[in-house]
Amino acid sequence: MKDYRKDFPILDQDETIYFDNAATAQKPACVMEALTDYYSRSNANPLRGLYDWSLRATEVLETARQKAADLIGAAAKEEIIFTRNTTEALNLAAYSYALNHLKAGDEIAVCISEHHSNFLPWQMAAEKTGAVLRFLEPGPDGRLTAEEIRAKITPNCRLAAVAQVSNVLGRVQPVREIADRVHEVGAVLVVDGAQSVPHMAVDVQAMDADFFAFSGHKMMGPMGIGVLYGKQALLEKMPPFLRGGEMIEYVTKDSASWAELPHKFEAGTVNAADAAGLSAAIDYLAAVGYEEIRQRELALTRRLMGHLKEMPYVTVYGSEDPAEHCGIVTFNIEGCHPHDVASILNEDGIAIRAGHHCAQPLMQYLQINAACRASLYFYNTEAEVDRFAQSLKKVRGALGYGS
Ligand code: 7TS
């Protein structure tokens, strides 16, 4: 097996067992080099200057846009809007689309397991328009059933929002099936791809998403760039989200008209440096390959869940099948607060996430306050999984339990 860790300076220099990849992924050296290279050779304000450096910065930005379009199968690069992250992308869709297309009595269908970033924008849209939220509830295995999709996406639905992969349960949702129902009732579908793009091939046209959001930093890119994909016909009809430089066609004392897509939605100086990093991350991801990522993660998840099965005091949430976790395993240890578990593991140099995972409605649905989450990526190793299991076995003892 190739030792991917050598590509990641932080993993190569440090023994920390990093199992918080769903929060943010580590960066390979090529991504850092792309940032340094951009600032060393091409830095200028993109889209503005008529001199070489600015033209180069524009080219860097537009190359990244094409790569992002190709990565998710968008029909045209003009459908790719650069944002800071998934959160900003989803807010853009809520402020610009939902506030202008929804009215009192309409329904917004949201999955109960959504990250707050794909929840609060729709709560806001409901509050401001008088629309009503309806909640899709997954079965115990984390998946939305065909019956649930039909029941909750009613003829009054005008917008549905679901994550392709939950950041807590790791389950892949049947987004194409959801899209078919959403379109049958004349609504639009917003897909949160923050946890899918790092792990699996995505085709927005095949899934028929109307909007699709993801973050660069969760797929090994830099922290300051994300994407909102939108179908061109929808984006054309939407007003700008933020107003200012670079997004206008013409401005007078009391009116303005807007630039063409995608610039209408990219107000102010755009983030060409992180676009350079995102390009490098997309190339790196392609070089590793989604099939390799899937195989590595599956082997690691099987091993990790196998260890957990041997600990009778551990409850794992979601499916029992490691193949249905996308590398995310959320669990609790009987009698132990997740924060204590995470702190004890930290003493052994193991980084996991503990808390509500920005998914409090799901915590309420599962009738827990908090949970521990180990989230793996292809660069983790079997040895790390074994050390994690050894440490976990000590937790109850450290907290005063006999066994
Ligand atoms: N949607 C999902 C499904 C996520 O997992 C996250 C971040 C977001 C949206 C927001 O992404 P951002 O880049 O805008 O912050 N998830 C997590 C997590 O699970 N732990 O920390 C951040």
Side-chain angles (χ1 to χ4, degrees):
M1 188 202 103
K2 180 173 167 7
D3 183 7
Y4 294 106
R5 303 169 73 79
K6 293 213 173 337
D7 297 340
F8 294 78
I10 199 169
L11 300 175
D12 205 28
Q13 289 161 24
D14 195 310
E15 295 279 279
T16 296
I17 297 179
Y18 185 70
F19 280 1
D20 198 16
N21 293 287
T24 198
Q26 296 305 340
K27 320 302 171 199
C30 59
V31 167
M32 302 177 203
E33 283 156 14
L35 293 174
T36 307
D37 186 61
Y38 170 82
Y39 283 123
S40 315
R41 292 195 330 106
S42 313
N43 183 50
N45 205 314
L47 302 164
R48 296 188 185 184
L50 297 172
Y51 50 87
D52 280 356
W53 287 356
S54 180
L55 295 173
R56 272 217 295 274
T58 306
E59 194 182 314
V60 165
L61 181 77
E62 295 307 319
T63 301
R65 200 187 304 281
Q66 186 63 58
K67 284 190 186 196
D70 294 343
L71 179 72
I72 61 166
K77 79 179 173 67
E78 289 70 26
E79 296 180 319
I80 301 294
I81 316 289
F82 284 128
T83 62
R84 283 187 303 131
N85 47 35
T86 303
T87 304
E88 188 176 280
L90 294 166
N91 273 275
L92 195 167
Y95 276 92
S96 181
Y97 182 84
L99 291 191
N100 292 292
H101 288 82
L102 270 59
K103 58 178 186 340
D106 288 346
E107 290 179 7
I108 302 174
V110 184
C111 189
I112 198 75
S113 54
E114 293 311 300
H115 187 280
H116 293 162
S117 292
N118 198 26
F119 207 94
L120 299 179
W122 312 119
Q123 243 180 21
M124 178 281 298
E127 247 171 60
K128 285 196 187 299
T129 61
V132 181
L133 288 172
R134 302 221 31 173
F135 301 104
L136 292 144
E137 294 176 353
D141 65 349
R143 191 170 160 97
L144 292 167
T145 62
E147 298 73 51
E148 183 68 6
I149 292 165
R150 268 205 99 69
K152 300 291 171 60
I153 299 171
T154 76
N156 293 330
C157 180
R158 285 292 153 269
L159 186 146
V162 292
Q164 188 171 16
V165 173
S166 153
N167 69 314
V168 179
L169 301 174
R171 188 72 202 249
V172 181
Q173 296 298 356
V175 276
R176 175 63 206 229
E177 217 179 304
I178 298 170
D180 287 345
R181 174 62 179 165
V182 164
H183 295 142
E184 186 188 332
V185 301
V188 297
L189 176 63
V190 182
V191 177
D192 174 349
Q195 297 295 351
S196 59
V197 176
H199 303 275
M200 57 195 275
V202 162
D203 186 331
V204 288
Q205 291 190 78
M207 78 170 70
D208 207 11
D210 296 290
F211 297 100
F212 185 92
F214 64 98
S215 293
H217 71 93
K218 290 188 198 282
M219 45 171 289
M220 301 178 282
M223 280 199 156
I225 193 161
V227 165
L228 178 70
Y229 156 84
K231 283 184 183 164
Q232 190 151 354
L234 291 172
L235 293 174
E236 297 281 8
K237 283 191 286 181
M238 287 157 52
F241 171 41
L242 301 171
R243 290 160 200 242
E246 216 49 70
M247 48 72 70
I248 54 94
E249 178 191 53
Y250 196 70
V251 180
T252 67
K253 260 162 57 185
D254 40 31
S255 72
S257 55
W258 315 126
E260 300 275 296
L261 288 175
H263 309 295
K264 176 171 79 170
F265 292 110
E266 293 181 354
T269 297
V270 290
N271 191 351
D274 284 344
L278 182 65
S279 277
I282 292 172
D283 290 345
Y284 185 80
L285 204 60
V288 178
Y290 280 118
E291 186 49 36
E292 168 82 351
I293 291 176
R294 164 99 188 135
Q295 292 306 329
R296 294 277 319 132
E297 285 174 0
L298 184 55
L300 294 168
T301 312
R302 278 210 178 105
R303 197 175 183 100
L304 192 148
M305 287 176 74
H307 283 308
L308 294 183
K309 258 210 154 94
E310 288 167 15
M311 303 179 213
Y313 42 80
V314 170
T315 304
V316 173
Y317 300 100
S319 173
E320 286 182 11
D321 182 353
E324 293 171 349
H325 276 264
C326 246
I328 292 174
V329 183
T330 298
F331 61 94
N332 265 318
I333 300 185
E334 199 181 322
C336 305
H337 194 283
H339 284 174
D340 289 332
V341 179
S343 299
I344 292 168
L345 291 186
N346 185 45
E347 282 167 20
D348 288 346
I350 301 170
I352 64 158
R353 182 81 188 273
H356 54 63
H357 309 288
C358 299
Q360 283 185 321
L362 176 64
M363 297 293 115
Q364 290 149 20
Y365 180 65
L366 295 173
Q367 299 184 327
I368 54 178
N369 290 318
C372 307
R373 181 187 68 187
S375 54
L376 310 169
Y377 211 7
F378 65 96
Y379 45 60
N380 289 126
T381 65
E382 273 83 0
E384 288 183 320
V385 169
D386 294 348
R387 273 178 53 203
F388 162 80
Q390 271 168 19
S391 280
L392 207 64
K393 282 182 185 148
K394 297 188 316 203
V395 167
R396 276 176 60 91
L399 290 171
Y401 292 97
S403 62

